[in-house]
Amino acid sequence: DFSPVEYSYLVGMAKCMRHRGPDNQNIYIKKNIGIGALLLKSTKSDKLNFPYKYGDLIAVLDGKITNDNEVWDKIELNGAKKETGHNLELIIKSYILWGKSCFTKFEGNFSICIFDEKSQNLIFVRDRFGSKPFFYHKTKNGIIFSSEIKGILSVGIKKSINKICIHEYLAARYTIGSDTLFNGISKIENNSIYTIDKNKVEKERLWNFPDEFSSINQEQIINKIDYYLNRSVKRVTS
């Protein structure tokens, strides 16, 4: 509702999740948006401020884009320059070039948040398998999001058990769809892009199974799977 974000809320959220990034903590607040990030140091992350701001866009990332070199090649072919080379820079510059379709170019394990100060839209993205946790809670005034449910509860959200999800969790060891074990707290579903504005939450699929796999024979499928598995292993170990 465009009311200011309380700095103390973000400090409290970060404090209860310190184990996720014990090396550094940064908080960005401007009017009605507040984003905190916890840093686990790496060679590249030391060169970048978290959250990352570029023009009207602010981004945070949990995880890693593993095909970053390929995406950077495409970005640079379109005239954009690489400065830090960090994944957050890659995400923002890809989004500027291709909009939400940029997320379909990413491979890896990630949850992403982008806030557009100009449009006042929030964009949440979670990878194809949901490797990184991502939760949100809608209030009458706005939205709270976090990598862990405890981050949302830390701002004083009333705890209420979702009894239906208890049955799901005991049967399948996970909750189905966007529901969690807490009423009012939802998870960003895997393989999804959420666009959130003042009035609504829109969800779309991040990635669809390629049509080519429905028109090739078994030997070709085996060869393709072998190719992609070997490529993935090389990216992770390089």
Side-chain angles (χ1 to χ4, degrees), residues 6-235:
E6 289 285 345
Y7 182 80
S8 60
Y9 286 174
L10 291 165
V11 172
M13 292 174 77
K15 184 178 180 180
C16 75
M17 296 191 295
R18 193 67 178 169
H19 57 282
R20 297 187 68 86
D23 297 317
N24 203 357
Q25 171 186 314
N26 288 303
I27 291 174
Y28 174 88
I29 289 184
K30 184 178 179 181
K31 297 179 181 178
N32 63 315
I33 179 71
I35 301 178
L38 298 164
L39 176 64
L40 182 64
K41 285 186 178 179
S42 68
T43 303
K44 289 183 179 179
S45 64
D46 289 343
K47 302 175 183 177
L48 197 74
N49 290 324
F50 285 65
Y52 180 58
K53 189 176 191 305
Y54 188 87
D56 292 322
L57 302 172
I58 304 108
V60 283
L61 164 72
D62 180 18
K64 180 177 174 59
I65 311 298
T66 55
N67 65 331
D68 52 344
N69 290 330
E70 295 172 20
V71 180
W72 272 122
D73 288 343
K74 295 174 183 176
I75 290 172
E76 290 177 320
L77 282 173
N78 280 274
K81 293 183 179 180
K82 178 166 62 173
E83 296 171 14
T84 67
H86 193 275
N87 278 180
L88 275 171
E89 182 192 1
L90 176 142
I91 289 165
I92 288 289
K93 292 186 175 178
S94 296
Y95 182 76
I96 291 170
L97 281 171
W98 300 298
K100 287 188 288 185
S101 65
C102 75
F103 303 123
T104 64
K105 303 179 188 298
F106 300 158
E107 297 175 16
N109 55 332
F110 53 81
S111 59
I112 298 167
C113 168
I114 296 177
F115 180 70
D116 188 331
E117 290 184 326
K118 188 174 182 179
S119 69
Q120 291 290 300
N121 283 349
L122 267 172
I123 297 170
F124 295 155
V125 187
R126 198 169 176 211
D127 69 50
R128 302 172 193 181
F129 290 98
S131 307
K132 296 294 181 178
F134 202 171
F135 304 94
Y136 72 99
H137 170 71
K138 289 182 69 178
T139 74
K140 62 180 181 180
N141 300 320
I143 190 163
I144 305 168
F145 59 94
S146 176
S147 293
E148 294 189 21
I149 290 178
K150 67 172 70 173
I152 296 173
L153 294 175
S154 72
V155 302
I157 303 302
K158 185 179 179 181
K159 294 180 183 179
S160 174
I161 299 297
N162 185 334
K163 295 180 180 179
I164 294 175
C165 283
I166 290 177
H167 295 287
E168 295 176 354
Y169 188 81
L170 291 174
R173 300 300 299 274
Y174 68 93
T175 57
I176 297 169
S178 62
D179 291 335
T180 70
L181 290 169
F182 292 85
N183 285 317
I185 297 180
S186 303
K187 61 187 174 186
I188 302 298
E189 294 184 46
N190 63 297
N191 195 35
S192 296
I193 303 169
Y194 287 58
T195 304
I196 302 165
D197 64 20
K198 186 178 179 182
N199 301 308
K200 60 184 181 299
V201 178
E202 291 184 346
K203 184 181 77 171
E204 54 193 291
R205 288 178 66 86
L206 169 65
W207 178 84
N208 292 294
F209 201 77
D211 292 334
E212 61 177 306
F213 280 94
S214 63
S215 59
I216 59 179
N217 61 41
Q218 184 175 349
E219 184 179 356
Q220 290 172 313
I221 290 174
I222 291 171
N223 290 335
K224 279 188 174 290
I225 290 173
D226 184 67
Y227 165 75
Y228 285 120
L229 281 173
N230 278 288
R231 189 182 69 168
S232 296
V233 170
K234 287 179 182 177
R235 284 177 179 165

